[in-house]
Amino acid sequence: MLSRKISVISMKKIGAIIRATFVGGVRDRTLFGIFILGLLLMLTVPIFSYFSMRQTTEVAAGYSLSVISLIGLLLTVFMGGNLISRDIDRKGIHTVVTLPISRTQYMIGKFLALALLLAVSLMILYFLAGIAIFWTALKYPPSQPLNWQSYLLVMVFEYIMLLVISGVSILLNSFATSTFLPMALTIAVYCIGQSTALVKDYLDKAPQIEQPSQVVAFLAKVSYYLFPNLSAFDLKEVFVYSLPVGFQYRLMVLLYGLFYLTVVMGMATYFFERRDLS
Amino acid sequence: MKRLAVIFLALILCAYFFYEVDRRRQAEAPPPKLMLLPSKEMTRVISFGHETLAAQLICYNSMFFFGSLEKPPTPATLRELYHTLDTVTYLDPYNMDGYYFANGMLSWNISFLEPLNELLLRGMAHRPWDWQLPFFYGFNQFYFLKKPKEAAVYFEKAYQLNPKNAFLPTFIARLYYEADATEAAIAFLEEMIRTAEKAKLRKYMLVRLEALQAVSLIEHAVKLYVKKYETVPQSLEALVDRGLLKGIPSDPYGGEFYLDEKGRVGTTSKFAYAHKKRRKKK
């Protein structure tokens, strides 16, 4: 009974942090900026797909999903990067430290607020891009009918991928003293995460092509297991070309993402609890 | 007021220099060239999860480059194009623009046909619903490589994927005939006739079937003749005289069957209706 009461209280505290951060994000006009970006995206879709000879709708869909993914990455990097460092720079963290709230609760609240902002942003972007793709498909019917369930699935996987990157960003922010370095490192992690599987596959086949250096092979292997395998979350092709989805594999990817996020957030809270904020 | 004047002056100067840049751009611009790409594996790695977009951008670059060429491309340029489009279809093996452009540009140079056909096979493996890829492949086999049997196999695949191609069934049957595979042609046509929905198309196919059945009958008699006399018959009459053929079958296209010097069955109609006689001028 007592533990239940404690968990309700801590949920309320986290809820307050989420509300404050989310409202701050909205006041920051982040969502407004996203809406403008989405409109711009909608306008550029017909221009980009116009030059295609045989797959106008597929090009429109691929372009939209890639642009959304890049906007999502920028959002995650900048909002995630500023999430804690802004409180530290503006001394707001000192007020938080004096409140009856643990640093872990504070960090989880911040992360959930970021997750909420990302969810709303992605929904706006996917909705606007969906209109552009639907309109293109009406004008230029694709070779395979579009599967809108896959579209939602792409959005969910993209979201989970962005959450993993957010987790990495928060982890880096939990011990970094500058704002710029965690942002640059988060982008580096994104690039590494997108390519480790490809590099590993290439090196596995490499003995047939050319003998790779031992150091390169070792680093590639370590990166493959250490960094998040982000390419597994990429379902763009599935929607663009209406390909079948292997549900069991995707479920595994989803669970992998959630557990990776848990590990990263666990480490972030551990470091943040021990950080000297004075 | 002063500030407004400065802005206005700057705007006028900006417009003037833009005009100059625009005017001189054509003369100053370097000759167009294809995007320099690393190996396809490396290009994929540095696409960072946006292979579909990267493939389309590279494809656009090669399309714009070829659109701006004033002279026909040299073999070296075509080799670069092959590498580019190989990369495009490696990054995004579903990209139809890449296959379509590759087929349009590379099929007319015989030295690129084999690698081009490999690209098309990659496309067929990834786009099993697309009738155009087996059609392109079949056309290359038929027209450039003179392999009618392989062509017929891929045209058949194209027809199965898009039965609206009304001319294909009779054409495929003819290719099988040219490849000395009349039985395969008959079996294919019988299946097509069984499933044909349009009466007109069925009628065309029935005529072609009738002609091929006649060819098959004569071919059978020729085989018996060769087996018995160990030589090739010189004419159809020889087959009738030796009792191997009851009579010379008639060609439904209005021509006459004959045997060439190798004993191969042919017809003067070439499996096409003779052109209607022109109306006499009044």
Side-chain angles (χ1 to χ4, degrees):
Chain A
M1 189 70 187
L2 185 69
S3 65
R4 199 174 162 188
K5 204 172 178 181
I6 290 167
S7 68
V8 169
I9 292 167
S10 66
M11 284 305 285
K12 274 185 181 173
K13 288 175 183 171
I14 292 172
I17 296 276
I18 294 172
R19 208 175 307 118
T21 313
F22 184 77
V23 170
V26 174
R27 281 195 190 140
D28 213 18
R29 305 209 171 217
T30 313
L31 289 180
F32 182 71
I34 292 298
F35 188 72
I36 298 294
L37 269 176
L39 281 179
L40 284 175
L41 163 69
M42 274 181 72
L43 291 174
T44 55
V45 166
I47 300 166
F48 188 78
S49 54
Y50 171 78
F51 299 104
S52 173
M53 295 181 287
R54 276 290 185 277
Q55 48 167 20
T56 308
T57 302
E58 287 87 340
V59 170
Y63 170 74
S64 307
L65 295 180
S66 268
V67 173
I68 292 176
S69 178
L70 291 172
I71 295 173
L73 174 69
L74 289 179
L75 268 178
T76 310
V77 169
F78 287 107
M79 291 201 304
N82 281 323
L83 213 58
I84 298 164
S85 60
R86 188 183 281 177
D87 277 357
I88 294 172
D89 290 345
R90 292 181 183 174
K91 315 286 182 203
I93 197 85
H94 298 297
T95 322
V96 176
V97 169
T98 55
L99 294 173
I101 183 170
S102 75
R103 289 189 189 186
T104 300
Q105 285 169 337
Y106 164 78
M107 190 163 254
I108 288 172
K110 283 281 182 186
F111 170 75
L112 291 177
L114 176 62
L116 196 61
L117 272 169
L118 279 175
V120 176
S121 307
L122 276 192
M123 275 194 267
I124 293 171
L125 287 169
Y126 270 83
F127 176 71
L128 292 174
I131 293 171
I133 297 167
F134 184 73
W135 180 80
T136 315
L138 280 183
K139 217 172 164 200
Y140 306 97
S143 62
Q144 294 275 82
L146 291 175
N147 183 350
W148 293 100
Q149 283 174 334
S150 300
Y151 190 66
L152 292 177
L153 211 61
V154 176
M155 187 174 80
V156 170
F157 275 79
E158 185 71 36
Y159 180 59
I160 301 291
M161 187 195 76
L162 291 177
L163 288 187
V164 171
I165 301 168
S166 306
V168 171
S169 172
I170 289 177
L171 170 64
L172 293 168
N173 270 290
S174 66
F175 54 79
T177 47
S178 85
T179 314
F180 173 74
L181 200 63
M183 282 187 190
L185 285 175
T186 308
I187 294 176
V189 169
Y190 171 81
C191 293
I192 295 168
Q194 285 287 3
S195 47
T196 46
L198 292 171
V199 173
K200 186 182 174 284
D201 288 351
Y202 179 71
L203 290 176
D204 284 348
K205 289 176 198 160
Q208 300 156 14
I209 311 160
E210 57 189 79
Q211 199 65 38
S213 140
Q214 293 269 320
V215 180
V216 171
F218 175 75
L219 283 177
K221 202 165 253 183
V222 169
S223 305
Y224 179 69
Y225 293 110
L226 187 67
F227 290 97
N229 183 2
L230 300 179
S231 59
F233 296 90
D234 184 12
L235 282 178
K236 288 194 279 292
E237 268 182 357
V238 169
F239 172 68
V240 173
Y241 297 107
S242 303
L243 304 177
V245 185
F247 274 100
Q248 209 171 3
Y249 170 63
R250 298 299 167 192
L251 184 69
M252 295 298 147
V253 171
L254 212 64
L255 292 172
Y256 160 70
L258 292 174
F259 283 111
Y260 193 96
L261 181 63
T262 312
V263 171
V264 168
M265 282 306 293
M267 284 165 71
T269 50
Y270 176 83
F271 288 125
F272 197 62
E273 284 284 355
R274 281 149 190 80
R275 184 170 171 171
D276 181 12
L277 292 169
S278 58
Chain B
M1 195 61 193
K2 247 184 193 174
R3 188 181 297 181
L4 269 179
V6 169
I7 291 171
F8 185 68
L9 188 69
L11 192 67
I12 287 176
L13 285 171
C14 181
Y16 170 74
F17 284 114
F18 177 73
Y19 166 76
E20 283 297 322
V21 168
D22 190 48
R23 196 167 62 84
R24 289 162 198 239
R25 197 167 48 88
Q26 293 290 343
E28 295 287 329
K33 58 181 180 181
L34 276 170
M35 199 184 275
L36 273 177
L37 294 168
S39 72
K40 54 189 178 184
E41 291 85 3
M42 185 48 76
T43 312
R44 192 173 179 190
V45 169
I46 58 173
S47 299
F48 298 125
H50 298 277
E51 290 94 341
T52 314
L53 182 64
Q56 197 61 37
L57 285 170
I58 298 168
C59 191
Y60 277 175
N61 170 262
S62 53
M63 280 160 52
F64 296 155
F65 167 73
F66 273 84
S68 65
L69 278 185
E70 287 169 1
K71 290 177 186 171
T74 60
T77 315
L78 287 177
R79 226 179 344 268
E80 277 180 52
L81 178 72
Y82 170 72
H83 170 60
T84 306
L85 294 174
D86 182 33
T87 305
V88 167
T89 52
Y90 178 77
L91 290 181
D92 180 5
Y94 303 94
N95 189 308
M96 190 55 197
D97 279 349
Y99 297 117
Y100 181 73
F101 191 50
N103 194 65
M105 296 304 299
L106 300 173
S107 62
W108 299 91
N109 189 318
I110 194 84
S111 58
F112 289 102
L113 271 176
E114 285 301 324
L116 168 65
N117 282 342
E118 276 176 32
L119 286 192
L120 293 177
L121 285 173
R122 182 188 289 167
M124 276 184 259
H126 286 89
R127 295 175 64 94
W129 64 85
D130 200 321
W131 68 271
Q132 293 183 73
L133 291 166
F135 183 80
F136 293 160
Y137 190 92
F139 183 80
N140 293 344
Q141 295 290 333
F142 163 69
Y143 191 79
F144 298 111
L145 296 171
K146 312 288 181 206
K147 291 180 180 173
K149 195 170 181 182
E150 282 84 349
V153 170
Y154 283 91
F155 279 138
E156 197 176 330
K157 281 184 186 172
Y159 180 73
Q160 280 163 359
L161 291 166
N162 184 14
K164 285 179 186 168
N165 283 318
F167 76 98
L168 269 181
T170 51
F171 182 58
I172 293 164
R174 188 197 165 112
L175 288 174
Y176 274 129
Y177 159 73
E178 283 184 15
D180 282 333
T182 315
E183 294 305 318
I186 290 171
F188 169 72
L189 271 183
E190 281 175 344
E191 178 59 22
M192 289 298 109
I193 291 164
R194 196 178 63 76
T195 52
E197 287 176 6
K198 288 183 180 172
K200 199 176 173 184
L201 179 61
R202 190 183 292 122
K203 196 179 155 191
Y204 275 125
M205 290 195 287
L206 278 167
V207 175
R208 181 61 54 101
L209 180 67
E210 195 185 332
L212 287 173
Q213 280 170 336
V215 170
S216 174
L217 196 69
I218 300 169
E219 280 177 350
H220 182 66
V222 170
K223 273 182 196 165
L224 289 176
Y225 188 97
V226 172
K227 199 175 175 185
K228 200 169 179 180
Y229 301 104
E230 293 178 347
T231 178
V232 174
Q234 294 304 305
S235 65
L236 291 177
E237 285 76 14
L239 296 171
V240 179
D241 291 346
R242 301 265 154 77
L244 297 169
L245 205 62
K246 281 182 183 174
I248 299 172
S250 61
D251 177 3
Y253 290 100
E256 283 179 13
F257 288 113
Y258 61 87
L259 289 180
D260 65 13
E261 63 274 14
K262 289 179 183 170
R264 196 164 188 275
V265 186
T267 167
T268 53
S269 70
K270 294 182 177 173
F271 298 105
Y273 286 110
H275 290 296
K276 285 176 186 173
K277 285 175 187 173
R278 287 178 187 171
R279 285 178 188 173
K280 286 177 187 174
K281 286 177 184 175
K282 284 178 184 174

